[in-house]
Structure formats: structure tokens, C-alpha cells
């Protein structure tokens, strides 16, 4: 791929961030929503992984946790040679990886406990939802403005298996085995964060993670999230004994962002989507209300002792000629009729959630432009909306019936 390329007429590639491999990672610009994003493309040479890759993306998109990377979108495109490639769009994380941070030296015990506790919480949330990472390592952990983010959950194992398979079967092993692999990887990360002799308790926990019978991600998250110093026996491997924790093993929250409850966060997201999809056609009414009106004539007040003037027949006036610079309010009416179609389609499962949000954004942008700019190219914008409906139908983001209903409304607009 090359800089400047636009994917699905929306995501413009700006800068390549990796050195190649099974995935290309790009900093990109979302031209629809005006925000930076990360675009991760599966190498076209691994066309055999398209289906598995998409399944992993779908699993990751269903997760909601403050420490897990947010998935925005996914699709397929073709490279310069015409080869099909899959890609996923995620939030853009501006920071350094934990691997980069560790090149400058190990963390303190409190920092290691904080960072690894957050990673364990994210892994626990993913495992609870039936999603595994499969390639957890310091390079997959981002440190951004005091926050910790785990990236590539759900697709890490797919990419790793493709990178190391050498032509063998790339199907993932059983989920339970990969969950254990994630926990052992977490123990490796914890061990890498610590300097020798830093903390006997944390070193013992890392050893437990690497043992044949490791604790679960839930246990690790609970232990590392404790504010008080846990007994060293809690961290020790079964049957082993350890002395009291080192004096510098006091835990702090220096790197931990403010906790955000998972259920509340999910509820906020659902409420936001519901709000977008159920906004009534008030924007059309606002446009009509703000349209120029002919000034009304206010009759002068008549003194009480004045003699009434004789009644005369008012002169005939020609109908007002509409100003061609003012957009036809029929456009606003049509846009207002599009919203209920999108809302019903989403509620019935005939429109995918991301497509419903996309269409509502386009409708809102056109309504706003009609209000602020009387010279807006209505015909061109309506044609773009029609093309988007056709594209989304081809991508199976909405059913042909809903597409027909939307296009029938668009056909009523006189441009």
C-alpha cells in the first residue's frame, strides 16, 4: 500500500508505522468523522487468512474495556496488483510500546504491578467474553499519556500463527490452551518488567504464571489490583516459601487511569448508538423554521376618535418567485423521511449498526450544510448518498429492501 491511498472512500493512509510482516500498520485519517485512526492490513500474500482474520476482528469488535484497543471498522480492499486484502480500523494510540519503554530499563515494583495489573484485567475481560489474544508480549502493550492499552486482541494469534507456521495448518488451538498461553505470556511480561531482586512477591507471581498450573487472569488481576501489600504466600507457587516483600514493593496507582466500570461504559455506548438511530426529524423542522420568510405587514394603530378610512380592494400581487439560491425545502423533508427508514432497518436487523451510524452521519452533515450554505451542491451530495447506499448494500451492510426504500425517497428530491 502507498501513502495517500483511500480505503472505501473514507480512510486515507498517511504514514506506515511498521516494518512489514504479516500485517501492515498505518496511521490514517478518517475523512468522514475527521479523526486519526490506525489501519491494519493483512498482507495480500496471506489471502488464505481472510476468513479467519475477519472472524477474529468480529470477536474483538464485541469487546468493551478501558484497556483494550477499540475496533471501529473492517472491510476488504485491493492492492496495486489487484490482490484482495482484509483490513481493520482501530483507534489511533499515540505513545510508546512497553517493549520500547523497557529498552530504557526495568520498571519499579509499583509500576510493574500497576501496568501488569491493567493488562491482566483486560485479558480477563477478553477471556470472559470467549476471546483470546494469542500473541501477548510487550510490543502489544501501548503506554499512552499514563494509560495502558492492549492491542491486536482477537487477531494476534492469527497473525502469529501465520508468521510461524511455515506452510502448516494455521488454525488456532483450543481456546482453553490459548487462554493458558495468554496467562503465561503475562507472566513473561511481568518478569521482563522487573529488575533482579526488585520484588520477591512479584517474581513469585511471575513464576506461578509460567508454571504447569498457572492462575487465571482473574486471579492475577485481583492480586495486582490490591492497594495493601498482599501476603507473600499468596504470590508464592504452591509449596514454596518466600520472605516478606521488599521495602520498595509498595503499590501505587502512578500509571493507572481512573477506573471506568465495564457495564457502565457499555451502557453509554449503547445509549449513544440508540440516540443516533432514533433522532427524530427535528433537523428538517429546524431548517424550515430558519428559512427566510416574507416580511409581514403590521397595520398602524388607529386613534379611538379617528374616522375609519373607506374600505378599498387591495391590489392584486403576483406570486413570489422563489430565490434560486435558497435550497428547496423538499430536500429537508426527504432527509427527514430517511431517518425513520434507517432506524427501522437497524431495529429489525436489516441494517448493520456501523452502516446505520454512517448513514445518519451523512444525512446530518447534509442537513447542517443546507442550513449554513445556501449554495450547497444538492445534486452532487444526493448522488454521493445514493452511491454510499449502493456500496453498503454490495458490502451486505443493509438489505436490498431497505436500499430500495432509501433510494425511493432520494428520487423525490428535485435537483
Amino acid at each position: 500500500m502507498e501513502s495517500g491511498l483511500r480505503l472505501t472512500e473514507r480512510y486515507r493512509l498517511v504514514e506506515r508505522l511498521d516494518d512489514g510482516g504479516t500485517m501492515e500498520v498505518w496511521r490514517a485519517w478518517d475523512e468522514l468523522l475527521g479523526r486519526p485512526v490506525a489501519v491494519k492490513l493483512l498482507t495480500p500474500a496471506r489471502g488464505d487468512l481472510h476468513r479467519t482474520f475477519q472472524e477474529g476482528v468480529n470477536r474483538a469488535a464485541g469487546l468493551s474495556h478501558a484497556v483494550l484497543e477499540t475496533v471501529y471498522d473492517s472491510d476488504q480492499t485491493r492492492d496495486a496488483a489487484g490482490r484482495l486484502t482484509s483490513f481493520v480500523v482501530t483507534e489511533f494510540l499515540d505513545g510508546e510500546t512497553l517493549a520500547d519503554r523497557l529498552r530504557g530499563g526495568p520498571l519499579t515494583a509499583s509500576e510493574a504491578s500497576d501496568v501488569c495489573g491493567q493488562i491482566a484485567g483486560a485479558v480477563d475481560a477478553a477471556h470472559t467474553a470467549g476471546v483470546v489474544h494469542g500473541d501477548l508480549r510487550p510490543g502489544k502493550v501501548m503506554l499512552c499519556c499514563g494509560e495502558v492499552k492492549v492491542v491486536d486482541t482477537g487477531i494476534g494469534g492469527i497473525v502469529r500463527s501465520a508468521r510461524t507456521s511455515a506452510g502448516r495448518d494455521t488454525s488456532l488451538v483450543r481456546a482453553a490452551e490459548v487462554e493458558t498461553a495468554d496467562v503465561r505470556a503475562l507472566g513473561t511480561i511481568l518478569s521482563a518488567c522487573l529488575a533482579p531482586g526488585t520484588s520477591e512477591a512479584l517474581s513469585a507471581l511471575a513464576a506461578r504464571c509460567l508454571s504447569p498450573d498457572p492462575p487465571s487472569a482473574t486471579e492475577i488481576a485481583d492480586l495486582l489490583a490490591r492497594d495493601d501489600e498482599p501476603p507473600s504466600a499468596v504470590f508464592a507457587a504452591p509449596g514454596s516459601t518466600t520472605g516478606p516483600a521488599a521495602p520498595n514493593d509498595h503499590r501505587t496507582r502512578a500509571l493507572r487511569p481512573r477506573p471506568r466500570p465495564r457495564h457502565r461504559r457499555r451502557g453509554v455506548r449503547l445509549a449513544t448508538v440508540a440516540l443516533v438511530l432514533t433522532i427524530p426529524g427535528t433537523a428538517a423542522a429546524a431548517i424550515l423554521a430558519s428559512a427566510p420568510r416574507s416580511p409581514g405587514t403590521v397595520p398602524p394603530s388607529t386613534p379611538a376618535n379617528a374616522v375609519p378610512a373607506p374600505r378599498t380592494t387591495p391590489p392584486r400581487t403576483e406570486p413570489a418567485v422563489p430565490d434560486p439560491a435558497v435550497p428547496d425545502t423538499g430536500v429537508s423533508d426527504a432527509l427527514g423521511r430517511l431517518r425513520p427508514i434507517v432506524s427501522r432497518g437497524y431495529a429489525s436487523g436489516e441494517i448493520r449498526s456501523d452502516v446505520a451510524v454512517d448513514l445518519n452521519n451523512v444525512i446530518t452533515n447534509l442537513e447542517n450544510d443546507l442550513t449554513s450554505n445556501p449554495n450547497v451542491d444538492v445534486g452532487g451530495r444526493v448522488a454521493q448518498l445514493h452511491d454510499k447506499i449502493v456500496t453498503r448494500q454490495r458490502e451486505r451492510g443493509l438489505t436490498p429492501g431497505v436500499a430500495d426504500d432509501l433510494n425511493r425517497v432520494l428520487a423525490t428530491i428535485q435537483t
Side-chain angles (χ1 to χ4, degrees):
M1 297 297 173
E2 297 180 355
S3 178
L5 181 67
R6 296 172 72 232
L7 306 181
T8 62
E9 298 300 318
R10 175 175 177 177
Y11 305 108
R12 177 167 51 84
L13 302 183
V14 177
E15 177 187 8
R16 186 165 174 172
L17 302 177
D18 72 337
D19 298 326
T22 307
M23 274 201 310
E24 290 184 15
V25 182
W26 287 78
R27 177 171 63 87
W29 184 255
D30 183 347
E31 296 183 340
L32 177 62
L33 299 181
R35 63 182 177 182
V37 295
V39 174
K40 305 176 183 182
L41 300 108
L42 190 64
T43 303
R46 296 314 307 254
D48 57 312
L49 294 180
H50 287 311
R51 180 175 179 179
T52 307
F53 181 82
Q54 187 59 54
E55 290 174 350
V57 170
N58 291 345
R59 289 191 294 267
L63 299 174
S64 177
H65 191 276
V67 184
L68 290 173
E69 172 188 54
T70 302
V71 175
Y72 292 147
D73 196 3
S74 67
D75 211 323
Q76 292 183 329
T77 187
R78 294 188 180 275
D79 65 356
R83 295 176 298 179
L84 190 67
T85 181
S86 299
F87 66 90
V88 58
V89 182
T90 69
E91 62 178 318
F92 177 71
L93 300 172
D94 188 10
E96 63 177 351
T97 67
L98 179 58
D100 293 333
R101 170 65 178 81
L102 292 177
R103 291 189 186 100
L107 306 183
T108 65
S110 60
E111 290 174 338
S113 176
D114 181 64
V115 170
C116 293
Q118 294 186 63
I119 299 172
V123 172
D124 175 36
H127 288 182
T128 300
V131 182
V132 295
H133 193 289
D135 191 23
L136 190 61
R137 49 191 168 89
K140 297 296 182 180
V141 178
M142 294 291 296
L143 306 178
C144 313
C145 300
E147 293 192 347
V148 178
K149 288 281 188 176
V150 177
V151 303
D152 292 348
T153 302
I155 63 174
I158 298 168
V159 175
R160 180 181 182 182
S161 64
R163 189 172 59 243
T164 60
S165 61
R168 296 191 301 271
D169 183 13
T170 59
S171 59
L172 293 177
V173 295
R174 290 182 302 167
E177 296 178 6
V178 182
E179 288 185 8
T180 300
D182 283 349
V183 171
R184 288 175 177 161
L186 182 55
T188 301
I189 293 175
L190 178 57
S191 180
C193 290
L194 299 171
T198 300
S199 168
E200 293 183 6
L202 293 178
S203 297
L205 176 60
R208 279 192 62 192
C209 293
L210 297 172
S211 69
D213 185 22
S216 67
T218 305
E219 295 177 74
I220 301 171
D222 289 344
L223 290 172
L224 294 179
R226 292 181 57 173
D227 293 323
D228 58 327
E229 180 63 36
S232 57
V234 175
F235 287 96
S240 65
T241 58
T242 58
N248 64 347
D249 195 26
H250 179 68
R251 284 167 173 70
T252 68
R253 289 288 182 263
L255 297 182
R256 185 183 294 278
R258 180 173 297 178
R260 286 172 284 186
R262 188 188 316 167
H263 296 294
R264 182 181 177 185
R265 181 180 176 91
R266 181 175 299 171
V268 171
R269 288 189 177 182
L270 293 176
T272 302
V273 174
L275 178 62
V276 171
L277 297 177
T278 58
I279 294 176
T282 54
I287 295 173
L288 292 174
S290 61
R293 293 188 176 89
S294 301
T297 303
V298 179
S301 59
T302 303
N305 59 354
V307 178
R311 179 175 298 177
T312 59
T313 303
R316 293 186 61 187
T317 58
E318 295 297 326
V321 178
D323 184 353
V326 179
D328 183 7
T329 55
V331 179
S332 302
D333 292 336
L335 294 177
R337 294 199 304 274
L338 291 175
R339 290 188 183 278
I341 297 175
V342 174
S343 180
R344 288 194 301 269
Y346 171 73
S348 64
E350 296 178 275
I351 298 182
R352 207 169 60 216
S353 60
D354 61 310
V355 176
V357 173
D358 187 13
L359 291 177
N360 273 293
N361 286 337
V362 174
I363 294 169
T364 300
N365 290 339
L366 180 51
E367 288 174 334
N368 292 339
D369 291 345
L370 285 170
T371 304
S372 60
N373 180 14
N375 298 316
V376 63
D377 180 12
V378 175
R381 298 289 292 278
V382 170
Q384 291 177 3
L385 180 54
H386 171 73
D387 292 342
K388 181 175 287 291
I389 293 171
V390 173
T391 300
R392 289 304 199 175
Q393 179 187 350
R394 187 169 58 247
E395 296 171 348
R396 298 184 180 180
L398 71 165
T399 64
V402 172
D404 290 343
D405 291 342
L406 294 171
N407 287 325
R408 271 196 294 270
V409 174
L410 291 179
T412 64
I413 298 176
Q414 300 297 323
T415 59

